[in-house]
Amino acid sequence: MKYSSVGTTGIEASRMILGCMRMAGLSTQEAAKVLSATREHGINFYDHADIYGGGQSEKVFAAAAKEIGLKRDDIFLQSKVGIRKGFFDFSKDHILTAVDGVLERLETDYLDFLLLHRPDTLVEPEEVAAAFEQLQQSGKVRHFGVSNQNPMQIELLQKFVPMKLQANQLQFGPAHTPMIDAGFYVNTLSDAATSRDGSILDYSRLHDMTIQPWSPFLVDLDQGLFIKHPDYQKLTATLTRYAKTYNVTLEAIVMAWILRHPAKMQPIAGSMNPERISGMVRGTEIELSREEWYDIYLSAGNSLP
Ligand SMILES: NC(=O)c1ccc[n+]([C@@H]2O[C@H](COP(=O)([O-])OP(=O)(O)OC[C@H]3O[C@@H](n4cnc5c(N)ncnc54)[C@H](OP(=O)(O)O)[C@@H]3O)[C@@H](O)[C@H]2O)c1
């Protein structure tokens, strides 16, 4: 496993993060096998959210971690808050209450990273700042970040929040690339020139903010896995070809493709299958050539000017 720093924290965490969104349905024993596989391969960074399985994912994680003796000091725990049933809530009270719930379910005293899950348009950044300051002073949270936010939303928060926002979760993978598409078509009349996120990729690099790509194997949350999607057969065939060339799994090539981007992203894999996770990890050792990277990009139906 390779490691890289998260934002400017100085924390060196595994390039691959395990996402625990799908852990809720697992038994303690099944989850323990997943965590054993991550430990064996040097994955030491785990992503949660208070809403995953209505809190059950965090509980299963805690039980499984205890089962295999995963030491708190050896791992980085991240969770997200701010989504409630039918609305988003970045109020001070909600952030503080939600974090207490997360800590209780994860059976820990602190989070290494707390992210705000989805932008709340009713956000009052002074309240976020007050909540974050209280959480940092009490030792409950060490570092902070956001999720699904664009540069101006981050700037607005950062005007009031004294601590640097270190990470941002955004969907990114070979079948979901709006973050880079518009950059190829600057100053053209092509629809591809439409920027959907305010140049978040370049902003993140400029501000040393780590992007954590979520759902790297999905087209999006509605359309599901790209390998099962009729529009992405060419992409799947290209990835399969490179998998054979490098003697690894298709999933490993997906990881290698994301990690080849010099933005030093830390992708979040959501697999709960120990074998699939082991296969993916080999992708962290592969350095795709520029030609191979573009070949994969174009085979997903993208074009270049
Ligand atoms: N910030 C946000 O708004 C946000 C949104 C969504 C997710 N997330 C985070 O990102 C993490 C990853 O999301 P995700 O789970 O959607 O990501 P993902 O890794 O793209 O998808 C994982 C799912 O795909 C399945 N899968 C992968 N390769 C497969 C294959 N070759 N054949 C069959 N099934 C395959 C996995 O099944 P197996 O378990 O059988 O491998 C699993 O159900 C989440 O856990 C969460 O931490 C964040």
Side-chain angles (χ1 to χ4, degrees):
M1 177 56 59
K2 290 198 170 120
Y3 297 82
S4 65
S5 54
V6 187
T8 57
T9 59
I11 286 177
E12 294 280 319
S14 51
R15 293 293 312 267
M16 253 182 74
I17 300 172
L18 182 80
C20 301
M21 181 173 79
R22 301 175 192 272
M23 198 168 265
L26 271 55
S27 67
T28 304
Q29 283 67 32
E30 286 166 336
K33 284 185 190 151
V34 174
L35 296 189
S36 294
T38 56
R39 178 166 63 185
E40 185 190 329
H41 293 292
I43 295 174
N44 62 3
F45 198 176
Y46 300 91
D47 180 61
H48 292 269
D50 59 351
I51 57 161
Y52 293 162
Q56 185 63 13
S57 289
E58 290 172 331
K59 283 187 189 167
V60 173
F61 178 93
K66 212 186 285 173
E67 174 97 2
I68 64 162
L70 197 59
K71 290 203 189 78
R72 179 65 186 90
D73 290 348
D74 292 345
I75 61 174
F76 299 107
L77 285 181
Q78 170 173 278
S79 195
K80 306 185 287 295
V81 301
I83 297 184
R84 300 182 71 174
K85 270 211 172 87
F87 63 107
F88 303 134
D89 190 348
F90 286 3
S91 66
K92 180 183 173 196
D93 282 353
H94 178 67
I95 293 172
L96 293 177
T97 309
V99 169
D100 282 343
V102 169
L103 295 178
E104 199 183 316
R105 289 187 295 276
L106 284 175
E107 297 180 39
T108 183
D109 298 334
Y110 69 97
L111 285 177
D112 296 282
F113 293 91
L114 173 72
L115 311 187
L116 297 175
H117 205 158
R118 275 196 182 274
D120 171 18
T121 194
L122 302 184
V123 62
E124 298 189 45
E126 299 91 330
E127 288 213 18
V128 174
F132 281 9
E133 281 179 294
Q134 196 168 316
L135 289 168
Q136 196 174 54
Q137 276 159 19
S138 62
K140 289 181 182 175
V141 177
R142 297 192 170 169
H143 303 284
F144 299 85
V146 295
S147 168
N148 303 304
Q149 294 213 5
N150 69 28
M152 292 308 277
Q153 291 168 326
I154 295 166
E155 285 292 306
L156 176 63
L157 280 177
Q158 203 69 90
K159 178 176 173 186
F160 297 90
V161 172
M163 50 290 275
K164 181 175 164 28
L165 298 169
Q166 302 285 5
N168 188 10
Q169 286 190 7
L170 298 154
Q171 195 193 348
F172 183 66
H176 190 95
T177 52
M179 211 159 67
I180 52 178
D181 300 337
F184 288 123
Y185 280 92
V186 170
N187 197 32
T188 69
L189 294 174
S190 164
D191 284 349
T194 310
S195 172
R196 299 179 191 282
D197 52 39
S199 302
I200 188 63
L201 178 59
D202 298 318
Y203 175 90
S204 306
R205 295 179 78 179
L206 275 168
H207 292 267
D208 298 313
M209 209 170 167
T210 300
I211 293 176
Q212 300 175 348
W214 56 260
S215 297
F217 298 96
L218 305 192
V219 179
D220 57 35
L221 289 173
D222 294 328
Q223 298 187 76
L225 281 174
F226 70 77
I227 56 166
K228 296 191 174 158
H229 196 293
D231 294 350
Y232 293 93
Q233 286 179 3
K234 192 169 173 203
L235 171 65
T236 302
T238 304
L239 291 167
T240 305
R241 180 160 47 81
Y242 286 121
K244 282 203 184 106
T245 307
Y246 283 96
N247 196 23
V248 293
T249 61
L250 175 148
E251 289 85 2
I253 301 295
V254 169
M255 284 298 145
W257 187 83
I258 294 172
L259 294 171
R260 174 63 179 81
H261 196 285
K264 298 193 176 69
M265 300 184 223
Q266 291 180 309
I268 317 174
S271 176
M272 292 291 115
N273 176 331
E275 261 179 50
R276 220 187 310 277
I277 294 169
S278 305
M280 269 176 223
V281 169
R282 292 193 55 203
T284 64
E285 305 296 333
I286 294 170
E287 172 96 2
L288 294 174
S289 71
R290 207 171 271 271
E291 288 85 346
E292 289 167 337
W293 191 94
Y294 274 93
D295 186 22
I296 291 169
Y297 177 72
L298 292 171
S299 74
N302 298 303
S303 60
L304 296 172

Coordinates of all heavy atoms in Angstrom, one line a residue, residues 105-177:
R105 N -21.5 5.3 18.6 CA -21.7 4.1 17.8 C -20.3 3.5 17.4 O -20.2 2.3 17.3 CB -22.5 4.4 16.5 CG -24.0 4.7 16.8 CD -24.8 4.8 15.6 NE -24.4 5.9 14.8 CZ -24.9 7.2 15.0 NH1 -25.8 7.4 15.9 NH2 -24.5 8.2 14.2
L106 N -19.3 4.4 17.1 CA -18.0 3.9 16.7 C -17.2 3.5 18.0 O -16.1 2.9 17.8 CB -17.2 4.9 15.9 CG -17.7 5.1 14.5 CD1 -16.9 6.3 13.9 CD2 -17.4 3.9 13.6
E107 N -17.7 3.7 19.1 CA -17.1 3.4 20.4 C -15.6 4.0 20.4 O -14.7 3.3 20.7 CB -17.0 1.9 20.6 CG -18.4 1.3 20.7 CD -18.4 -0.2 20.9 OE1 -17.6 -0.7 21.7 OE2 -19.3 -0.9 20.4
T108 N -15.6 5.2 20.2 CA -14.3 5.9 20.2 C -14.5 7.3 20.8 O -15.6 7.8 20.9 CB -13.7 6.1 18.8 OG1 -12.4 6.7 18.8 CG2 -14.6 6.9 17.9
D109 N -13.3 7.9 21.3 CA -13.4 9.2 21.9 C -13.2 10.3 20.8 O -13.5 11.5 21.1 CB -12.2 9.4 22.9 CG -12.3 8.4 24.0 OD1 -13.4 8.0 24.3 OD2 -11.2 8.1 24.5
Y110 N -12.7 10.0 19.7 CA -12.4 11.1 18.7 C -12.5 10.6 17.3 O -12.3 9.4 17.0 CB -11.0 11.7 18.9 CG -9.9 10.7 18.6 CD1 -9.3 10.8 17.3 CD2 -9.5 9.7 19.5 CE1 -8.2 9.9 17.0 CE2 -8.5 8.9 19.1 CZ -7.9 8.9 17.9 OH -6.9 8.1 17.6
L111 N -12.8 11.5 16.4 CA -12.7 11.3 14.9 C -11.4 11.9 14.4 O -11.1 13.0 14.9 CB -13.9 11.9 14.2 CG -15.2 11.2 14.3 CD1 -16.3 12.0 13.6 CD2 -15.2 9.8 13.8
D112 N -10.8 11.3 13.5 CA -9.6 12.0 12.8 C -10.1 13.0 11.9 O -9.5 14.1 11.7 CB -8.8 10.9 12.1 CG -8.2 9.9 13.1 OD1 -7.2 10.3 13.8 OD2 -8.7 8.8 13.3
F113 N -11.2 12.7 11.2 CA -11.8 13.6 10.2 C -13.3 13.7 10.4 O -14.0 12.6 10.4 CB -11.5 13.3 8.8 CG -10.0 13.4 8.5 CD1 -9.1 12.3 8.7 CD2 -9.4 14.6 8.1 CE1 -7.8 12.4 8.4 CE2 -8.1 14.7 7.8 CZ -7.2 13.6 8.0
L114 N -13.9 14.9 10.3 CA -15.3 15.0 10.3 C -15.6 15.8 9.0 O -15.1 16.9 8.8 CB -15.8 15.8 11.5 CG -17.3 16.2 11.4 CD1 -18.2 15.0 11.6 CD2 -17.7 17.3 12.4
L115 N -16.5 15.3 8.2 CA -16.9 16.0 6.9 C -18.4 16.4 7.0 O -19.2 15.7 7.6 CB -16.7 15.2 5.7 CG -15.4 14.4 5.5 CD1 -15.3 13.8 4.1 CD2 -14.2 15.4 5.6
L116 N -18.7 17.5 6.4 CA -20.1 17.9 6.2 C -20.7 17.2 5.0 O -20.1 17.4 3.9 CB -20.3 19.4 6.1 CG -19.8 20.2 7.4 CD1 -19.8 21.7 7.1 CD2 -20.6 19.8 8.6
H117 N -21.7 16.5 5.1 CA -22.1 15.4 4.1 C -22.6 16.0 2.7 O -22.0 15.7 1.7 CB -23.1 14.5 4.7 CG -23.1 13.1 4.0 ND1 -23.6 12.0 4.6 CD2 -22.7 12.7 2.8 CE1 -23.5 11.0 3.8 NE2 -22.9 11.4 2.7
R118 N -23.6 16.9 2.8 CA -24.1 17.5 1.5 C -24.4 18.9 1.8 O -25.0 19.2 2.8 CB -25.3 16.8 1.0 CG -24.9 15.6 0.1 CD -26.1 15.1 -0.7 NE -25.7 13.9 -1.4 CZ -25.0 13.9 -2.6 NH1 -24.8 15.1 -3.2 NH2 -24.7 12.8 -3.2
P119 N -24.1 19.9 0.8 CA -24.3 21.3 1.1 C -25.7 21.6 1.6 O -26.7 21.2 1.0 CB -24.1 21.9 -0.2 CG -23.3 20.9 -1.0 CD -23.6 19.6 -0.5
D120 N -25.8 22.4 2.7 CA -27.1 22.9 3.2 C -27.2 24.3 2.8 O -26.4 25.2 3.3 CB -27.0 22.7 4.8 CG -28.2 23.4 5.5 OD1 -29.2 23.7 4.8 OD2 -28.1 23.6 6.7
T121 N -28.2 24.6 2.0 CA -28.3 26.0 1.5 C -28.6 27.0 2.6 O -28.4 28.2 2.6 CB -29.2 26.2 0.3 OG1 -29.0 27.5 -0.3 CG2 -30.7 26.0 0.7
L122 N -29.2 26.5 3.7 CA -29.5 27.3 4.9 C -28.4 27.4 5.9 O -28.5 27.8 7.0 CB -30.8 26.8 5.6 CG -32.0 26.6 4.7 CD1 -33.2 26.2 5.6 CD2 -32.4 27.9 4.0
V123 N -27.2 27.1 5.4 CA -26.0 27.1 6.3 C -25.7 28.5 6.8 O -25.8 29.5 6.0 CB -24.8 26.6 5.5 CG1 -24.4 27.4 4.3 CG2 -23.6 26.4 6.5
E124 N -25.4 28.6 8.1 CA -24.9 29.8 8.6 C -23.5 29.5 9.0 O -23.2 28.8 10.1 CB -25.8 30.3 9.8 CG -27.2 30.6 9.3 CD -28.1 31.2 10.3 OE1 -27.6 32.1 11.0 OE2 -29.2 30.7 10.4
P125 N -22.5 30.0 8.2 CA -21.1 29.5 8.4 C -20.6 29.8 9.8 O -19.7 29.1 10.4 CB -20.3 30.3 7.4 CG -21.3 30.9 6.5 CD -22.7 30.9 7.1
E126 N -21.1 30.9 10.5 CA -20.7 31.2 11.9 C -21.0 30.0 12.8 O -20.3 29.7 13.7 CB -21.3 32.4 12.4 CG -21.0 33.7 11.6 CD -22.0 34.0 10.5 OE1 -22.6 33.0 9.9 OE2 -22.2 35.1 10.1
E127 N -22.2 29.4 12.5 CA -22.6 28.2 13.4 C -21.7 27.0 13.1 O -21.3 26.3 14.1 CB -24.0 27.8 13.0 CG -25.0 28.8 13.5 CD -26.3 28.1 14.0 OE1 -26.4 26.9 14.2 OE2 -27.3 28.9 14.1
V128 N -21.3 26.8 11.9 CA -20.4 25.7 11.6 C -19.1 25.9 12.3 O -18.5 25.1 12.9 CB -20.2 25.6 10.1 CG1 -19.1 24.5 9.8 CG2 -21.5 25.2 9.3
A129 N -18.6 27.2 12.2 CA -17.3 27.6 12.9 C -17.4 27.3 14.4 O -16.5 26.7 15.0 CB -17.0 29.0 12.6
A130 N -18.5 27.7 15.0 CA -18.7 27.5 16.4 C -18.7 26.0 16.8 O -18.1 25.6 17.8 CB -20.0 28.2 16.9
A131 N -19.4 25.3 16.0 CA -19.4 23.8 16.2 C -18.1 23.2 16.1 O -17.6 22.4 16.9 CB -20.4 23.1 15.3
F132 N -17.4 23.5 15.0 CA -16.0 22.9 14.7 C -15.1 23.3 15.9 O -14.3 22.5 16.3 CB -15.5 23.4 13.4 CG -16.1 22.7 12.2 CD1 -17.2 21.8 12.3 CD2 -15.5 22.8 10.9 CE1 -17.7 21.1 11.2 CE2 -16.1 22.2 9.8 CZ -17.2 21.3 10.0
E133 N -15.1 24.6 16.3 CA -14.2 25.0 17.4 C -14.4 24.2 18.6 O -13.5 23.8 19.3 CB -14.3 26.5 17.6 CG -13.6 27.3 16.6 CD -13.7 28.8 16.7 OE1 -14.8 29.3 16.6 OE2 -12.7 29.4 17.0
Q134 N -15.7 24.0 19.0 CA -16.1 23.3 20.2 C -15.6 21.8 20.0 O -15.0 21.2 21.0 CB -17.6 23.3 20.4 CG -18.0 22.9 21.8 CD -19.4 23.2 22.1 OE1 -19.9 24.3 21.7 NE2 -20.2 22.3 22.7
L135 N -15.8 21.3 18.9 CA -15.4 19.8 18.7 C -13.9 19.7 18.7 O -13.4 18.7 19.3 CB -15.9 19.4 17.3 CG -17.4 19.2 17.2 CD1 -17.9 18.9 15.8 CD2 -17.9 18.0 18.1
Q136 N -13.2 20.7 18.2 CA -11.7 20.6 18.2 C -11.2 20.8 19.6 O -10.3 20.0 20.1 CB -11.1 21.6 17.3 CG -9.6 21.3 17.0 CD -9.0 22.2 15.9 OE1 -9.1 23.4 16.0 NE2 -8.5 21.6 14.9
Q137 N -11.7 21.8 20.3 CA -11.3 22.1 21.7 C -11.5 20.9 22.6 O -10.7 20.6 23.5 CB -11.9 23.3 22.2 CG -11.1 24.6 21.7 CD -12.0 25.8 21.8 OE1 -13.0 25.9 22.5 NE2 -11.6 26.9 21.1
S138 N -12.7 20.2 22.4 CA -13.0 19.1 23.3 C -12.2 17.9 23.0 O -12.3 16.8 23.7 CB -14.5 18.9 23.3 OG -14.9 18.5 22.0
G139 N -11.5 17.9 21.8 CA -10.8 16.7 21.4 C -11.6 15.7 20.7 O -11.1 14.6 20.4
K140 N -12.9 16.0 20.4 CA -13.7 15.0 19.8 C -13.4 14.9 18.3 O -13.7 13.8 17.7 CB -15.2 15.4 19.9 CG -15.7 15.2 21.4 CD -17.2 15.6 21.5 CE -17.6 15.5 22.9 NZ -19.0 16.0 23.1
V141 N -12.9 15.9 17.6 CA -12.6 15.9 16.2 C -11.2 16.6 16.0 O -11.0 17.6 16.5 CB -13.7 16.6 15.3 CG1 -13.2 16.6 13.9 CG2 -15.0 15.9 15.5
R142 N -10.4 15.9 15.2 CA -9.0 16.5 15.0 C -9.0 17.3 13.7 O -8.3 18.3 13.7 CB -8.0 15.3 14.9 CG -7.9 14.6 16.2 CD -6.8 13.7 16.4 NE -6.7 13.2 17.8 CZ -5.9 12.2 18.2 NH1 -5.2 11.6 17.4 NH2 -6.0 11.9 19.5
H143 N -9.6 16.9 12.6 CA -9.5 17.6 11.4 C -10.9 17.6 10.7 O -11.7 16.8 11.0 CB -8.5 17.0 10.4 CG -7.1 16.9 11.0 ND1 -6.3 18.0 11.2 CD2 -6.5 15.8 11.6 CE1 -5.2 17.6 11.7 NE2 -5.3 16.3 12.0
F144 N -11.1 18.6 9.8 CA -12.4 18.8 9.2 C -12.4 18.9 7.7 O -11.3 19.2 7.1 CB -13.0 20.2 9.8 CG -13.1 20.1 11.3 CD1 -12.0 20.5 12.1 CD2 -14.3 19.8 11.9 CE1 -12.2 20.4 13.5 CE2 -14.4 19.7 13.2 CZ -13.4 20.1 14.1
G145 N -13.5 18.7 7.1 CA -13.6 18.8 5.7 C -15.1 18.8 5.2 O -16.0 19.0 6.1
V146 N -15.3 18.7 3.9 CA -16.6 18.7 3.4 C -16.9 17.6 2.4 O -15.9 16.8 2.2 CB -16.8 20.1 2.6 CG1 -16.8 21.3 3.6 CG2 -15.9 20.3 1.5
S147 N -18.0 17.6 1.8 CA -18.3 16.5 0.9 C -19.3 17.1 -0.1 O -20.3 17.8 0.3 CB -19.0 15.3 1.6 OG -19.5 14.4 0.8
N148 N -19.1 16.8 -1.4 CA -20.0 17.3 -2.5 C -20.1 18.8 -2.5 O -21.2 19.4 -2.8 CB -21.4 16.7 -2.3 CG -21.3 15.2 -2.3 OD1 -20.8 14.6 -3.3 ND2 -21.9 14.6 -1.3
Q149 N -19.0 19.5 -2.3 CA -19.1 21.0 -2.3 C -18.2 21.6 -3.4 O -17.2 21.0 -3.8 CB -18.6 21.5 -0.9 CG -19.5 21.2 0.2 CD -19.6 22.3 1.3 OE1 -19.0 23.3 1.2 NE2 -20.3 22.0 2.3
N150 N -18.6 22.7 -3.9 CA -17.9 23.4 -5.0 C -17.0 24.5 -4.3 O -17.1 24.8 -3.1 CB -18.8 23.9 -6.1 CG -19.7 25.1 -5.6 OD1 -19.3 25.8 -4.7 ND2 -20.8 25.2 -6.2
P151 N -16.1 25.1 -5.1 CA -15.1 26.0 -4.5 C -15.8 27.2 -3.8 O -15.3 27.6 -2.7 CB -14.3 26.6 -5.8 CG -14.4 25.4 -6.7 CD -15.8 24.8 -6.5
M152 N -16.8 27.8 -4.3 CA -17.4 28.9 -3.6 C -18.1 28.5 -2.3 O -18.1 29.3 -1.3 CB -18.4 29.7 -4.5 CG -17.8 30.4 -5.7 SD -16.4 31.4 -5.2 CE -17.3 32.9 -4.8
Q153 N -18.7 27.4 -2.3 CA -19.3 26.9 -1.0 C -18.2 26.7 0.0 O -18.3 27.0 1.2 CB -20.0 25.6 -1.2 CG -21.3 25.8 -2.1 CD -21.9 24.5 -2.6 OE1 -21.2 23.5 -2.9 NE2 -23.2 24.4 -2.6
I154 N -17.0 26.2 -0.4 CA -15.9 26.0 0.5 C -15.4 27.3 1.0 O -15.1 27.5 2.2 CB -14.8 25.1 -0.2 CG1 -15.3 23.7 -0.5 CG2 -13.5 25.1 0.7 CD1 -14.5 22.9 -1.5
E155 N -15.2 28.3 0.0 CA -14.7 29.6 0.4 C -15.6 30.3 1.4 O -15.2 30.9 2.3 CB -14.6 30.5 -0.9 CG -13.5 30.2 -1.8 CD -12.1 30.5 -1.2 OE1 -11.9 31.6 -0.7 OE2 -11.3 29.6 -1.1
L156 N -16.9 30.1 1.2 CA -17.9 30.7 2.2 C -17.7 30.2 3.6 O -17.6 30.9 4.5 CB -19.3 30.5 1.7 CG -20.4 31.0 2.7 CD1 -20.4 32.5 2.8 CD2 -21.8 30.5 2.2
L157 N -17.6 28.8 3.7 CA -17.3 28.2 5.0 C -16.0 28.7 5.5 O -15.8 29.1 6.7 CB -17.3 26.7 4.9 CG -18.6 26.0 4.8 CD1 -18.4 24.5 4.6 CD2 -19.4 26.2 6.1
Q158 N -15.0 28.7 4.6 CA -13.6 29.0 5.1 C -13.4 30.4 5.6 O -12.5 30.7 6.3 CB -12.6 28.6 3.9 CG -11.2 28.3 4.3 CD -11.0 27.0 5.1 OE1 -10.8 26.0 4.5 NE2 -11.1 27.1 6.4
K159 N -14.3 31.3 5.1 CA -14.3 32.7 5.6 C -14.5 32.8 7.1 O -14.0 33.6 7.8 CB -15.3 33.6 4.9 CG -15.4 35.0 5.4 CD -16.4 35.8 4.6 CE -16.4 37.2 5.3 NZ -17.5 38.1 4.7
F160 N -15.3 31.8 7.6 CA -15.6 31.8 9.1 C -14.9 30.7 9.9 O -14.7 30.9 11.1 CB -17.1 31.7 9.2 CG -17.9 32.9 8.6 CD1 -18.3 32.8 7.3 CD2 -18.1 34.0 9.4 CE1 -19.0 33.9 6.7 CE2 -18.8 35.1 8.8 CZ -19.2 35.0 7.5
V161 N -14.7 29.6 9.2 CA -14.2 28.4 9.9 C -12.6 28.6 10.0 O -12.0 28.7 9.0 CB -14.5 27.1 9.2 CG1 -13.7 25.9 9.8 CG2 -16.0 26.9 9.2
P162 N -12.1 28.7 11.3 CA -10.7 29.0 11.4 C -9.7 27.9 11.0 O -8.6 28.1 10.5 CB -10.5 29.3 12.9 CG -11.6 28.7 13.5 CD -12.8 28.7 12.6
M163 N -10.2 26.6 11.1 CA -9.3 25.5 10.7 C -9.5 25.2 9.2 O -10.5 25.4 8.7 CB -9.6 24.3 11.6 CG -11.0 23.8 11.7 SD -12.1 24.9 12.6 CE -11.8 24.3 14.3
K164 N -8.3 24.8 8.6 CA -8.4 24.5 7.2 C -9.2 23.3 6.9 O -9.1 22.3 7.6 CB -6.9 24.3 6.7 CG -6.9 24.0 5.2 CD -5.4 23.9 4.8 CE -5.3 23.2 3.4 NZ -6.4 23.4 2.5
L165 N -10.1 23.5 5.9 CA -10.9 22.3 5.5 C -10.0 21.4 4.6 O -9.4 21.9 3.6 CB -12.1 22.8 4.7 CG -13.1 23.7 5.5 CD1 -14.1 24.3 4.7 CD2 -13.7 22.8 6.6
Q166 N -9.8 20.2 5.0 CA -8.7 19.4 4.5 C -9.1 18.4 3.4 O -8.2 18.0 2.6 CB -8.0 18.6 5.6 CG -7.5 19.4 6.8 CD -6.2 20.1 6.4 OE1 -5.7 20.0 5.3 NE2 -5.6 20.8 7.4
A167 N -10.4 18.0 3.3 CA -10.8 17.0 2.3 C -12.2 17.3 1.8 O -13.0 18.0 2.5 CB -10.7 15.6 3.0
N168 N -12.4 16.8 0.6 CA -13.7 17.0 0.0 C -14.1 15.7 -0.7 O -13.3 15.2 -1.5 CB -13.7 18.1 -1.0 CG -15.0 18.5 -1.6 OD1 -16.1 18.0 -1.1 ND2 -15.0 19.4 -2.6
Q169 N -15.2 15.1 -0.5 CA -15.6 13.9 -1.2 C -16.5 14.3 -2.4 O -17.4 15.0 -2.3 CB -16.5 13.0 -0.3 CG -15.7 12.3 0.8 CD -16.4 11.2 1.5 OE1 -17.6 10.9 1.2 NE2 -15.8 10.6 2.5
L170 N -16.1 13.7 -3.5 CA -16.8 13.9 -4.8 C -16.9 12.6 -5.6 O -15.9 11.8 -5.5 CB -16.1 15.0 -5.6 CG -15.9 16.3 -5.0 CD1 -14.6 17.0 -5.6 CD2 -17.1 17.2 -5.2
Q171 N -18.0 12.4 -6.3 CA -18.0 11.2 -7.1 C -17.0 11.3 -8.2 O -17.0 12.3 -9.0 CB -19.4 10.8 -7.6 CG -19.3 9.3 -8.0 CD -20.5 8.8 -8.9 OE1 -21.5 9.5 -9.0 NE2 -20.3 7.6 -9.5
F172 N -16.2 10.3 -8.4 CA -15.2 10.3 -9.5 C -14.8 8.8 -9.8 O -14.6 8.0 -8.9 CB -14.0 11.1 -9.2 CG -13.0 11.2 -10.3 CD1 -13.3 11.8 -11.5 CD2 -11.7 10.6 -10.2 CE1 -12.4 11.9 -12.5 CE2 -10.8 10.7 -11.2 CZ -11.1 11.4 -12.3
G173 N -14.7 8.5 -11.1 CA -14.3 7.1 -11.5 C -14.3 7.2 -13.0 O -14.8 8.1 -13.6
P174 N -13.9 6.1 -13.7 CA -13.8 6.1 -15.1 C -15.2 6.3 -15.8 O -15.2 6.8 -16.9 CB -13.2 4.8 -15.5 CG -13.2 4.0 -14.2 CD -13.3 4.9 -13.1
A175 N -16.3 6.0 -15.1 CA -17.6 6.2 -15.7 C -18.3 7.5 -15.2 O -19.5 7.7 -15.4 CB -18.5 5.0 -15.5
H176 N -17.5 8.3 -14.4 CA -18.2 9.5 -13.9 C -17.1 10.5 -13.7 O -16.4 10.6 -12.7 CB -18.8 9.2 -12.5 CG -19.6 10.3 -12.0 ND1 -21.0 10.4 -12.1 CD2 -19.3 11.4 -11.3 CE1 -21.4 11.5 -11.6 NE2 -20.4 12.1 -11.1
T177 N -16.9 11.4 -14.8 CA -15.8 12.3 -14.9 C -16.1 13.8 -15.1 O -15.3 14.5 -15.6 CB -14.9 11.8 -16.0 OG1 -15.7 11.7 -17.2 CG2 -14.2 10.5 -15.7

